[in-house]
Each structure stands twice: as C-alpha cells, then as structure tokens.
Amino acid sequence: MSCKVILSKEISSSYREELKATIKSRGIKPKLVGFLANEDPSAIKYAESTSKTCEETGVVFELRKCDKEQLEDQIIEANDDDSIHGIMVYYPVFGDRQDQYLQNVVSVSKDVEGLCHKYIYNMYHNKRFLDEKQTMKCILPCTPLAIVKVLEYIGVYNAVLPYGNRLHGRVITIINRSEIVGRPLAALLANDGGKVYSVDINNVQEFHRGTGLKLKRHEVRDTNLKIEEILPVSDVVVTGVPTPSYKVPTGSLRDGVIAINFSAFKNFEDNIKEKASIYVPAIGKVTIAMLERNLLRLYDYYNCQSS
Ligand code: NAD
C-alpha cells in the first residue's frame, strides 16, 4: 500500500504559524464571537476546537450560548460592538430558511464565515476582489475555502498554470450539495478550471467553464449520470454525507484517486488506502485556520485599519 494519509493538522500548521506570527508582530487582539444556539454535538465540538486554536494563535475567542429565539438580537448587538471584529454562528439553528436570514443579519464587515449574500454572490460570479483597485480579496466561505487549501497543499492545483485556471484538466467529484459546503465548493473549483461532478441525494450535476475554459465563470447542467459512472473517471473525490452508514465503494474508484472526507463521519470504506494515492480523512483544523484568516482580513478591511 503506497497511500499517503495527510492529516488536517499538517495542512493547517503553516497557516496557524503565520497567523500567530502576524498577530504577535503587530501586537493586535482580533476578537471573534461564536454564537451557539443549538445542542448539536458536532457544533459543540467545532466550538471547542475553535476556542483552542484561537488561544494558540492569539485570537480572542468568546463563545456566547443563547436561546435560538434571542439569537437575532444578540447578533445585532455584536454587529454594533466595536470591540468585536468577527462573528460566527454554529448552524443549523432553525434548520430552514430562517438560518439563511440569520446569515444575512451578521454584518458584512464581521462575517468571518463568508456566508452573507454579498460574499456568496461574488463567489458564484467569480468576482475575486471587493474593490476596483483589486487590493481587497473577497471573503470566501471557510469550509469550501479549506478544501481549496487542502487541494493546493497536495498539489491538485497546478502552479505552472495561470492563477484562476489551475484546476484545468482535473475531474473532481463532490458528494454533498449543501448551500454551506458542497454547492459553493463545486462553484469555486469549476471557476478555477476543474470539471466538477456535484452529487446529492437526487442527482448528479456538472459544473464547468467549458472546453478550453472559454467561459469566464462556471455554468451548471443537470446530467443523467449515476455516481458509479463518475467515480472511475474522477481524479479527486470529496465527500460530505452526514450519515454514518454512507460509504463510497472503494471498488468504483480510480486507482490513485485522491480521497478527501469533510463529513463528521467516515464516508470512505476502511480499505480506501488500497486504492487512493492520498487520503485526507478530515479537514476541521484547516477550516478553523481559514476562519481566523478571514477574521484578520476583516480586521484590516473594515475595523482597525489605523492600528
Ligand atoms: P447537509 O445535511 O446540509 O447536506 C448534506 C448533503 O449530502 C446534501 O447535499 C445531501 O443531498 C447529500 N447527501 C445525503 N445523503 C446522500 C447520499 N446518500 N448520496 C449522495 N448525497 C447525499 O450537511 P452539511 O452542512 O453540508 O454537512 C455535511 C457534513 O459535513 C456533516 O457531517 C458536517 O458535520 C460536516 N461539516 C464539516 C465541516 C468541516 O469544516 N470539517 C464544515 C461543515 C460541515
């Protein structure tokens, strides 16, 4: 077996070191507030890891537990508090469209998760900067961004190609099309030149920029393809199915596939290492590093430009 298993700690370490050094050398105290209004064990675990990583890197992190009915008012209060530079909410709260509403209650200037309409719109439209002079990069949703960083780390992004086209020729399957992770990730990877098969419980869609990347931003089409047809032709398979029983059949995967799991459950079978060239079993630490990176960007863009 020649599979290389890469842990998220390894991938995130250079980002954590850079964050730590920047915060220390500039003598700043960026503050992140996380709102926990549910009892979801994954959310609680995520909040604990965020707290630990923030402490290590020098970010001030405050977890505020509240009743979901009070959450909106609490977010508004945090929006108006100049001592807070970033706000995040542990979803799901209501588990429906009300969560989307709450994502837009968070001020654009404090949205470390990159989930408000402005950032999501820019991402889908492949608009990479917030200003005309192209000095302020857009904030990207942190879990999809973390997966981009994982793909960069393991060399799926081809640095010889121009920025923006570095996934040209790669075929990537993403099994998850949630609005928080799977769909934005498919769009990001297709905008970067990849051919992406996006799988959800209902169907397979293809996200791409056309032959020779002739389109400026991705387009999407429904397909009649079955997952068994796309797995053997995929260079990379990214999974995020939130059920313990779901397993990608190793037998259907291409020899040498790159397998990345972001679900809280192991979506690959135990024998994945017999087929994969690289296996990334979890990405949580990279997500938190991206959260902190977004926080520092927002700190500079909107909050404390004079400090
Ligand atoms: P979700 O419930 O919103 O979405 C699940 C997606 O999986 C949907 O698109 C659904 O259609 C698809 N799906 C479900 N069963 C399927 C099947 N049998 N075949 C194909 N597709 C199927 O969940 P979510 O918010 O996207 O989270 C998914 C998982 O990722 C969870 O385990 C969550 O804890 C984890 N997560 C991890 C991070 C991280 O940074 N590590 C961040 C966010 C979410």
Side-chain angles (χ1 to χ4, degrees):
M1 258 187 285
S2 63
C3 176
K4 190 164 170 59
V5 178
I6 305 187
L7 303 180
S8 66
K9 189 176 178 185
E10 175 186 332
I11 305 168
S12 65
S13 81
S14 63
Y15 294 105
R16 277 186 286 124
E17 289 310 316
E18 192 185 328
L19 286 159
K20 198 172 163 180
T22 305
I23 291 169
K24 195 173 172 205
S25 68
R26 290 176 58 188
I28 54 175
K29 282 196 164 57
K31 180 170 175 179
L32 172 64
V33 167
F35 286 104
L36 185 62
N38 65 29
E39 299 291 329
D40 181 355
S42 300
I44 294 166
K45 205 171 147 211
Y46 186 23
E48 284 167 0
S49 319
T50 310
S51 171
K52 193 166 163 260
T53 312
C54 285
E55 201 181 326
E56 281 164 17
T57 43
V59 166
V60 180
F61 177 71
E62 189 183 318
L63 183 66
R64 296 186 179 175
K65 293 184 186 171
C66 69
D67 199 86
K68 61 182 175 184
E69 300 302 339
Q70 293 165 348
L71 182 58
E72 183 177 357
D73 286 345
Q74 295 238 1
I75 295 171
I76 293 168
E77 201 180 299
N79 282 342
D80 293 337
D81 182 340
D82 289 340
S83 73
I84 297 170
H85 308 107
I87 296 170
M88 65 175 299
V89 177
Y90 293 94
Y91 293 104
V93 177
F94 293 94
D96 55 20
R97 282 177 60 92
Q98 207 169 336
D99 285 2
Q100 252 167 298
Y101 168 73
L102 288 171
Q103 281 158 11
N104 286 292
V105 172
V106 174
S107 161
V108 172
S109 65
K110 299 190 179 185
D111 178 16
V112 284
E113 292 184 285
L115 293 175
C116 68
H117 179 75
K118 181 177 179 170
Y119 297 144
I120 294 285
Y121 178 92
N122 286 351
M123 185 207 59
Y124 281 123
H125 287 258
N126 205 6
K127 191 174 172 226
R128 299 194 177 216
F129 291 90
L130 288 167
D131 58 334
E132 289 296 322
K133 288 184 185 158
Q134 302 199 340
T135 59
M136 295 155 77
K137 275 192 174 175
C138 285
I139 300 293
L140 290 170
C142 45
T143 305
L145 177 60
I147 297 166
V148 167
K149 296 297 172 190
V150 169
L151 294 173
E152 281 180 357
Y153 184 87
I154 60 187
V156 176
Y157 273 76
N158 186 341
V160 169
L161 297 177
Y163 171 74
N165 289 349
R166 289 180 174 167
L167 290 179
H168 193 186
R170 305 281 195 233
V171 179
I172 302 168
T173 288
I174 304 166
I175 310 173
N176 174 301
R177 202 185 302 133
S178 69
E179 289 301 315
I180 302 227
V181 193
R183 199 163 83 88
L185 177 63
L188 278 174
L189 302 185
N191 282 342
D192 276 339
K195 176 156 113 177
V196 180
Y197 290 118
S198 166
V199 183
D200 81 348
I201 194 108
N202 300 311
N203 73 347
V204 176
Q205 291 183 334
E206 187 183 312
F207 287 54
H208 61 87
R209 273 175 51 206
T211 305
L213 305 186
K214 61 177 183 283
L215 305 171
K216 279 203 164 57
R217 70 177 175 96
H218 75 279
E219 66 176 19
V220 185
R221 66 175 186 95
D222 283 334
T223 77
N224 291 320
L225 293 166
K226 300 275 170 254
I227 187 162
E228 304 81 52
E229 296 170 87
I230 57 170
L231 290 178
V233 296
S234 298
D235 305 306
V236 181
V237 175
V238 181
T239 58
V241 177
T243 40
S245 58
Y246 182 85
K247 301 287 173 198
V248 176
T250 304
S252 306
L253 295 167
R254 219 202 69 181
D255 187 30
V257 70
I258 291 169
I260 301 169
N261 176 60
F262 69 82
S263 169
F265 304 99
K266 282 188 179 154
N267 286 167
F268 290 101
E269 293 178 325
D270 288 342
N271 63 356
I272 182 62
K273 289 183 231 162
E274 290 169 19
K275 210 66 179 290
S277 57
I278 295 177
Y279 173 43
V280 181
I283 62 141
K285 287 192 165 60
V286 191
T287 304
I288 296 171
M290 293 306 117
L291 195 69
E292 291 186 282
R293 210 159 163 260
N294 281 351
L295 177 73
L296 275 199
R297 287 229 162 113
L298 292 175
Y299 183 96
D300 287 335
Y301 291 173
Y302 298 106
N303 296 294
C304 298
Q305 286 170 347
S306 57
S307 64

